[in-house]
Amino acid sequence: MAGGGRKRREKGAGSGAKDHSGASGSGSGKTGRHRGDRQVRVGDLLRVKPGSTVDLAAYDTRATPGGPPDKQAALAETALIGRRLGDLQERLYAAATGGDRRRLLLVLQGMDTSGKGGTVKHVAGMFNPSGCRIKAFKAPTEEELGYPFLWRVTQALPRPGEIGIFDRSHYEDVLVARVRALVPRERLERRYEQINRFEESLAEDGVTVVKVFLHISRDEQRKRLLERLDNPDKHWKFAPGDIEDRALWPAYQEAYRIALERCSTEAAPWYVVPADRKWYRNWAVGKLLAEHLEALDPRFPQGGFDAARWREFLLAGA
C-alpha cells in the first residue's frame, strides 16, 4: 500500500525544469559537488525551501544531484560516509550520558517500491543497532485509533543520544487520509499545522528532524513490482493493494505535493531524493545524515575524575 495511514474507522527533487531549493540541484552527478572553492551541501541541493512551490513532475527521478559520477564511485563514497556516521553516532550517544538531549530522527516517505525498507536496512547498517530506534508504521491498531493521530508517533520517538528511523510516519495521516477521504476535509486541513507545531516542538527539545521523500517514477515502480512478481522469493513484498494504489498515482502525487509545500519548515524541512537509482538514494540519505550530525558536532563528555591518578593506581598492580 502507498501508506499505512488511518484506514479503519475514520470517515468523513532531482534534475528538472524547476528547482525547489533555489540551488543548482540538477545534473549527472558532477553538478553541484563544488561551487567555486566551497563544497556544496547535498542538503542545500535537495531541500524544499519553506514557502516554495513544488512541481514533482518537473523532477528527474533518475538524477544524481551533487552525487558521485557512477555507481562504483557511489559505493566507495558511501562506505566512507558509513564510517563517519559510526563515529558521529558514538559521540552523540556518549554526549547523552553527560546530559545532552540531542538526537536525530530520519523520516522516510515515498510511494510503494520507492525504497523505504531498503533505505532503512542500508542506514541502520551504518550505525550501532543499540543506539537506533526503528519504527515501521502500518495501519493503526484499535488502541491507536482511540487517540489523536500524533499519539502513536510520540511513542516511537528516539531518546536523547539515539538515531530514530521512521519507515512511513505521521504524514500517512495527510497522505492516505487525503487520497482515501478517511477523515472530513476540515479535519484533514488542520493536520498540516498540527504537524508543523509538533515538529517545531521536537526541534525545540533537541530533535533534529530529517524528512526524506524518496521520489520514483511510475515506470520505475512498474519495473520493481514486476520484479517482485517474477521472483517467488519476493512475493511476500507484494500485495494486490499495491496495484490499487498504483491506479491512484496522480492523487498520491498531489497529496505529496501539498504535504511538501505546507510542511517544509525551517525547523523541519523536506528533502526530495531522486530514488530511481538505488545507489544514489543510499548515498544521498547517508550524506544528508552525515551533514546534519556534523552540524550538531556532538562531543564526548568529560569523565569527571582524575584519569592520571587511576591510571597510576592500575599500573601499581591494583
Side-chain angles (χ1 to χ4, degrees), residues 175-229:
L175 295 168
V176 178
R178 174 176 285 273
V179 173
R180 299 286 184 175
L182 298 178
V183 298
R185 183 52 62 94
E186 58 271 19
R187 191 193 307 176
L188 177 71
E189 293 300 319
R190 290 196 297 269
R191 286 182 174 180
Y192 297 101
E193 187 54 37
Q194 289 174 313
I195 287 173
N196 288 341
R197 290 198 301 268
F198 171 65
E199 292 175 350
E200 184 175 358
S201 72
L202 293 181
E204 291 173 350
D205 194 40
V207 182
T208 294
V209 183
V210 183
K211 301 184 300 191
V212 173
F213 172 53
L214 301 175
H215 190 27
I216 65 166
S217 66
R218 200 162 186 264
D219 286 343
E220 180 66 19
Q221 188 194 59
R222 178 189 292 111
K223 174 185 173 184
R224 294 181 185 183
L225 287 173
L226 286 171
E227 288 174 351
R228 292 180 181 182
L229 288 170

Side-chain angles (χ1 to χ4, degrees), residues 120-154:
V120 170
K121 179 180 179 181
H122 172 78
V123 170
M126 295 180 175
F127 293 123
N128 184 330
S130 65
C132 285
R133 185 175 296 263
I134 301 170
K135 175 66 175 180
F137 287 94
K138 308 296 184 182
T141 64
E142 290 293 331
E143 179 187 18
E144 291 168 344
L145 285 169
Y147 291 91
F149 77 100
L150 290 169
W151 178 82
R152 66 176 184 161
V153 176
T154 63

